[in-house]
Amino acid sequence: PSESAVRDFWQWLSDEGVANSSSSPPPVKPEFVPEGLGLVAQRDITKNEVVVEVPKKLWINPDTVAASDIGRVCGGLKPWVAISLFLLREKALGSASSWRPYLDILPLATDSPIFWSEEELSEIQGTQLLSTIMGVKEFVQSEFIKVEDDVILPNKDLFSSPITFNDFLWAFGILRSRAFPRLRGENLALIPLADLINHSSSITSEDSFWEIKGKGFFSRELIFSLRTPIYVKAGDQVYIQYDLAKSNAELALDYGFIESRQDREVYTLTLEITESDPFYGDKLDIAETNGLGETAYFDVILGSPLPPSMLPYLRLVALGGTDAFLLESIFRNSVWGHLELPVSRANEETICRVVRDACKSALSAYHTTIEEGLAYSFLET
Ligand code: SAM
């Protein structure tokens, strides 16, 4: 966005009563920062002080879409699909849209791999992130084809400018990177201004820094209220912690950045009891009794112990031969306890082989070796 777009946005907010509401002058202002735009403190702000309050009339959520010109054709759509169409149509309307000041400050892309070129994506060949990205793009593509056939093409009067898959992907990326984590599904909403807050790894408190509340004692209008989790000096940026639980792959997909912290490095191992297993029924029963299923996903975190049920599940999957007696129903209540320790040498050897083979095959998709990768990252720094 340009300097003038940011000025217009700020003017729009102040016309709407946001920038000059309860506390004047406002504690923060949108400014250019290394992360794009951000919220910069205009004075010292104390911990937990409210920095931004945005009334519901400025949110873009399913109600906004329903009340708009395209509302009548968006009834059955998923909230994110409806909001995406709304954003794209308002964008196409240009200065005829009352949302223009907000739309004009939205980035054209983030660094999320969903926006990368083929060539850029080839750099992450072999990673789990790449397969996630391909899956996500296929999903967005299929949703696009559906909504194009069902809504866009049959309503040319409403959608006079064409909407492409890339436009739709942009809207998906905008929602993914800007919607506050608990505002998902039916509650999905874009909150202009509040959505300019950037993430900092140094904020580790998981306390909720925002809430939705009634505007005042006599008003039923809702406002979105955002607080700073820490004290901020005048001129510094206000930050929050987006999500402590997200892996680097999830951060990359959602926001287009990662953190160099071991516990963000996660590989999700998928294991399953195959139907061709001679003990399929018994194994499935045991897995289900212990809160797992036919397919189980285990997040292996760099530098952390393995997920507690991963080894027992692996031992169960590999169980056979003379160890199969453990599957008999008389052991049903105690078998998991047995699986928490090695069952037999043969079983333990099998799980080692299975995991080693899985690692080898996963690593073989990379086009460089670990040594080459390390040498390369050394050259880069
Ligand atoms: N900076 C955004 C803008 O210019 O509109 C406002 C925040 S928006 C909710 C989230 C996006 O901000 C992310 O997708 C990423 O592009 C950027 N961002 C936020 N925190 C960041 C960080 N710590 N490092 C790099 N980029 C960050």
Side-chain angles (χ1 to χ4, degrees), residues 1 33-38 105-107 109-111 177-179 194-201 239 242 254-258:
V33 292
E35 299 89 352
L37 287 173
I105 60 112
L106 292 177
T110 66
D111 288 332
S177 63
R178 310 184 82 84
D195 68 351
L196 289 181
I197 193 131
N198 290 312
H199 161 93
S200 168
S201 57
Y239 288 104
Y242 284 178
D254 292 349
Y255 307 111
F257 64 79
I258 57 166

